[in-house]
Amino acid sequence: MFNQLFPNVRMEDMITATNETIYMTLISVAGTFVIGLLLGLLLYLSGPGGLWQNKMLNWVTASLVNIFRAIPFIILILLLFPFTDFLMGTIRGPKAALPALIIGGAPFYARLVEIALKEVDKGVVEAAKSMGAKYSTIVFKVLLPESMPALISGITVTAIALIGYTAVAGAIGAGGLGDFAYFYGFQRSNWDVVFMCTVIIIIIVFIFQFIGDLATRKLDKR
């Protein structure tokens, strides 16, 4: 029955492509979380009323974030080819997609981090300051814990965007389901391959969304 519906789908190749997509997503989400969190903290802390209020630092950070957010992902991949080749030693395969995925995802997440931190009750921050808490204590004991549900929700949204980015990267040889759907499906008119890749990507998205929603509910104290 399956072979009749999907005559061109080879499960071994499909499993390999799925594993490549999951690999690219997990590594890029981890890198995006760390870099995006640092950028988001810089945006918040150096902004108006922030603990490290600094117009120049805020302007530079915001400019970098805005510039990389404005570049379409497919163009960003091409622009980063020399850097990717230098860093990874190749411009093809799942590993080669990681720099572009992280650099493309981190600025997006940074803005979500900034928004999450701005939603923290200022009264809690002021109370910590009045008790003589150090800046590091305020960040790690107040700001991050209080904003954690929003941070997890934000990284979930970013992870789903990154899954889409992996499919785009696959179109230029990064591997994964996007690569498989384009080169073995679209270019050969094997529409059953394209359909199967689409279904698997949707399932991966649903899994990430379920895990993110579950973690957010567990951490939300309200």
Side-chain angles (χ1 to χ4, degrees):
M1 183 67 176
F2 181 86
N3 291 333
Q4 292 177 340
L5 291 173
F6 306 99
N8 301 299
V9 174
R10 293 178 296 185
M11 289 309 297
E12 288 185 4
D13 294 337
M14 191 65 70
I15 290 170
T16 299
T18 301
N19 289 338
E20 288 176 345
T21 293
I22 293 172
Y23 166 80
M24 287 188 285
T25 302
L26 290 177
I27 300 299
S28 61
V29 166
T32 294
F33 180 78
V34 173
I35 297 174
L37 185 62
L38 292 174
L39 288 173
L41 280 168
L42 272 179
L43 286 170
Y44 174 78
L45 295 173
S46 64
L51 298 176
W52 303 339
Q53 186 170 336
N54 185 309
K55 286 186 178 180
M56 180 56 68
L57 178 60
N58 186 260
W59 181 84
V60 170
T61 307
S63 297
L64 285 173
V65 167
N66 291 337
I67 288 170
F68 282 102
R69 282 181 67 206
I71 302 173
F73 184 67
I74 188 70
I75 297 176
L76 180 64
I77 295 175
L78 301 176
L79 286 174
L80 291 175
F81 266 175
F83 174 72
T84 300
D85 191 30
F86 169 77
L87 188 65
M88 311 301 291
T90 180
I91 58 172
R92 298 185 65 83
K95 287 184 178 180
L98 295 177
L101 288 169
I102 294 171
I103 292 173
F108 176 79
Y109 183 55
R111 285 298 185 186
L112 296 180
V113 171
E114 182 188 20
I115 293 169
L117 293 172
K118 285 182 177 179
E119 290 177 352
V120 174
D121 187 353
K122 291 184 178 180
V124 178
V125 178
E126 290 299 325
K129 288 169 68 176
S130 66
M131 294 172 63
K134 297 179 181 179
Y135 288 166
S136 58
T137 302
I138 294 173
V139 170
F140 292 107
K141 298 293 185 180
V142 178
L143 289 173
L144 292 181
E146 288 292 325
S147 62
M148 192 56 67
L151 294 178
I152 297 300
S153 179
I155 197 62
T156 302
V157 172
T158 306
I160 291 170
L162 286 170
I163 294 170
Y165 286 173
T166 65
V168 175
I172 57 171
L177 290 166
D179 181 290
F180 198 71
Y182 183 74
F183 290 104
Y184 295 95
F186 173 73
Q187 288 197 342
R188 300 181 185 184
S189 296
N190 294 331
W191 302 111
D192 55 334
V193 174
V194 176
F195 177 78
M196 183 58 69
C197 289
T198 304
V199 170
I200 294 173
I201 288 173
I202 291 172
I203 292 171
I204 293 172
V205 167
F206 278 12
I207 291 171
F208 271 82
Q209 187 67 62
F210 174 78
I211 293 172
D213 290 345
L214 183 63
T216 301
R217 287 197 297 270
K218 290 288 185 181
L219 291 169
D220 198 340
K221 300 174 184 177
R222 292 173 296 180

